[in-house]
């Protein structure tokens, strides 16, 4: 990909961003180090399509407000299904980077129709390194542990 000098660089990423935590913040900061404007696809409920995912604790509205407060995040698009990703990317002709967490390096299976759009538009898929232990699952476990400790008193 060849980026013109003084051109606004656009990035996009997708996720549920439930219980916004330090890991989310670090990921988004990494993304924003590579682009001027970041669009976030906000997954309404990933547990509907993927049984291994947790149902969000926070409403989509709460998560939307939290993400919209982050400088550099210029658009948030709630979406229902993984199929919606193709339509969201197709609707944005100016995307330079498609950001994924480093945990997807070996597991992300890009749907063929999305892969075609990424290739046709010369969108750079960039995996953000994850050198920390912060996660929604880990945060849920900490909350549960603290709750159990209070019950044990």
């Amino acid at each position: 990909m060849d980026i013109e000098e003084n051109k606004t660089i656009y990035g996009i990423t997708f996720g549920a961003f439930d219980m916004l935590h330090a890991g989310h913040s670090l990921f988004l900061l990494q993304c924003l180090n590579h682009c001027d404007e970041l669009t976030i696809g906000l997954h309404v409920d990933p547990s509907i399509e993927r049984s291994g995912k947790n149902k969000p604790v926070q409403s989509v509205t709460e998560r939307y407000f939290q993400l919209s407060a982050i400088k550099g995040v210029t658009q948030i698009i709630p979406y229902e299904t993984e199929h919606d990703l193709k339509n969201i990317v197709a609707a944005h002709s100016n995307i330079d980077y498609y950001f994924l967490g480093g945990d997807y390096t070996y597991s992300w299976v890009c749907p063929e129709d999305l892969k075609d759009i990424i290739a046709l538009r010369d969108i750079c898929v960039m995996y953000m390194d994850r050198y920390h232990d912060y996660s929604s699952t880990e945060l849920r476990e900490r909350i549960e542990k603290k709750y159990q400790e209070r019950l044990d008193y």
Side-chain angles (χ1 to χ4, degrees):
M1 173 175 32
D2 192 23
I3 303 285
E4 301 167 25
E5 195 172 327
N6 297 324
K7 175 188 179 281
T8 300
I9 309 299
Y10 296 94
I12 195 165
T13 193
F14 296 90
F17 298 96
D18 188 33
M19 296 174 16
L20 195 65
H21 55 74
H24 292 134
S25 297
L26 292 169
F27 171 74
L28 294 171
L29 286 171
Q30 279 186 299
C31 294
L32 287 162
N33 282 333
H34 296 281
C35 66
D36 302 304
E37 296 188 14
L38 182 63
T39 295
I40 297 177
L42 180 57
H43 205 162
V44 174
D45 184 356
S47 70
I48 292 171
E49 285 186 305
R50 296 189 290 178
S51 60
K53 291 288 189 177
N54 291 313
K55 185 169 186 62
V57 172
Q58 294 177 293
S59 71
V60 71
T61 305
E62 290 172 295
R63 294 179 279 143
Y64 182 97
F65 286 144
Q66 288 175 313
L67 292 169
S68 67
I70 299 170
K71 184 178 179 182
V73 173
T74 54
Q75 187 176 29
I76 301 166
I77 305 168
Y79 70 97
E80 298 283 340
T81 67
E82 296 287 324
H83 178 75
D84 294 333
L85 303 185
K86 176 197 77 150
N87 295 326
I88 293 168
V89 172
H92 290 78
S93 60
N94 58 351
I95 298 170
D96 298 299
Y97 291 102
Y98 188 121
F99 298 109
L100 290 160
D103 49 334
Y104 283 98
T105 305
Y106 302 106
S107 65
W108 186 56
V109 179
C110 183
E112 284 302 316
D113 50 0
L114 178 54
K115 192 181 292 184
D116 292 343
I117 294 168
I118 289 170
L120 182 67
R121 300 245 179 97
D122 195 25
I123 298 170
C124 178
V125 176
M126 186 174 265
Y127 296 92
M128 299 291 100
D129 294 327
R130 183 175 171 179
Y131 298 115
H132 57 77
D133 295 328
Y134 304 117
S135 72
S136 296
T137 300
E138 184 272 336
L139 181 56
R140 287 171 191 261
E141 289 169 357
R142 265 194 291 154
I143 292 168
E144 176 64 24
K145 183 179 176 186
K146 293 286 184 187
Y147 179 73
Q148 286 300 325
E149 288 172 1
R150 288 189 71 198
L151 291 179
D152 292 341
Y153 280 143

